Amino acid sequence: NAGVTQTPKFQVLKTGQSMTLQCAQDMNHNSMYWYRQDPGMGLRLIYYSASEGTTDKGEVPNGYNVSRLNKREFSLRLESAAPSQTSVYFCASSESGLNTEAFFGQGTRLTVV
Amino acid sequence: KQEVTQIPAALSVPEGENLVLNCSFTDSAIYNLQWFRQDPGKGLTSLLLIQSSQREQTSGRLNASLDKSSGRSTLYIAASQPGDSATYLCAVLRVSWGKFQFGAGTQVVVTP
């Protein structure tokens, strides 16, 4: 039971570099999410995808882009990394509908220097 | 805008004591509320999901209550153990927004 799988687990980038964080789920969920977690601030939603082919901005979308490649995969791209994007990034998925439970990946710890 | 607050931010108790963790939210129009556990450097593990029509949910030593009218949920952990040391987060799924919104968490330390 893999659940939600994120790659890579750790990454160090230089300011201005780009990278893509990968996420895949094997639970046949419609909804997928990208969150970032910073000390004392909880998890904040970056982008959301309600279904394959649709994406929506969350609370903190600036500096990020996403792609819902298919039902399983939802990637997050940093086009030009900035030190303010140093964070731990979590991907999650859930069924759509009213009484839905969220499942999380193990996170990607990103440092931008 | 929905605010989700968890107080206290940190808590230390001796082994065997019961833990009481609080979560409050300003918008009572929610679909459900979910409690998670997070160990250092790890992802989030779902503990309990309370649907909006429910008042409580139980799993082993864990019991979570929900009072939508007052905008509160409480997670009780009975007879705490050192293995319960972790950060506990609550998240609400709002009717108006459709996505999960998180509190900042309560960091719990259970001392032997």
Side-chain angles (χ1 to χ4, degrees):
Chain A
N1 254 359
V4 180
T5 303
Q6 290 183 235
T7 55
K9 287 187 171 50
F10 301 94
Q11 184 71 48
V12 178
L13 289 179
K14 293 182 179 178
T15 298
Q17 285 186 319
S18 63
M19 79 161 295
T20 300
L21 281 64
Q22 306 287 353
C23 175
Q25 52 92 9
D26 62 2
M27 295 172 282
N28 203 37
H29 287 163
N30 284 315
S31 300
M32 297 186 74
Y33 314 78
W34 277 105
Y35 287 89
R36 59 177 289 172
Q37 185 176 36
D38 302 292
M41 301 190 73
L43 278 79
R44 292 180 292 167
L45 183 66
I46 305 171
Y47 269 95
Y48 163 68
S49 172
S51 61
E52 184 179 350
T54 68
T55 61
D56 197 9
K57 293 179 181 179
E59 302 171 80
V60 289
N62 292 343
Y64 305 95
N65 286 301
V66 291
S67 295
R68 183 74 182 269
L69 305 168
N70 47 55
K71 192 170 186 180
R72 289 187 66 247
E73 297 171 290
F74 188 38
S75 62
L76 178 72
R77 182 159 178 84
L78 287 70
E79 291 291 351
S80 179
S84 62
Q85 294 178 305
T86 293
S87 187
V88 181
Y89 292 85
F90 288 100
C91 177
S93 71
S94 68
E95 291 280 2
S96 50
L98 302 183
N99 293 307
T100 182
E101 184 175 2
F103 295 87
F104 280 75
Q106 290 300 298
T108 296
R109 187 172 296 272
L110 175 67
T111 302
V112 182
V113 298
Chain B
K1 184 178 183 293
Q2 174 76 283
E3 298 285 344
V4 182
T5 306
Q6 292 186 249
I7 294 174
L11 184 60
S12 181
V13 299
E15 182 177 3
E17 240 184 56
N18 296 332
L19 282 165
V20 180
L21 307 178
N22 297 302
C23 174
S24 61
F25 47 94
T26 52
D27 181 0
S28 62
I30 64 171
Y31 287 128
N32 62 46
L33 186 145
Q34 194 168 353
W35 282 95
F36 294 88
R37 170 187 172 132
Q38 185 177 29
D39 294 293
K42 304 291 187 184
L44 280 70
T45 300
S46 179
L47 296 174
L48 289 169
L49 172 72
I50 310 177
Q51 299 173 6
S52 61
S53 59
Q54 298 176 316
R55 291 195 64 83
E56 68 176 342
Q57 192 68 258
T58 298
S59 175
R61 293 186 295 114
L62 277 59
N63 174 276
S65 65
L66 175 64
D67 183 345
K68 282 201 310 176
S69 62
S70 65
R72 287 187 191 174
S73 177
T74 303
L75 177 66
Y76 300 90
I77 303 177
S80 62
Q81 304 167 358
D84 294 328
S85 298
T87 297
Y88 292 83
L89 298 105
C90 67
V92 297
L93 183 60
R94 291 165 54 196
V95 172
S96 63
W97 198 43
K99 290 86 143 174
F100 296 93
Q101 189 155 10
F102 281 82
T106 296
Q107 185 175 15
V108 171
V109 174
V110 180
T111 55

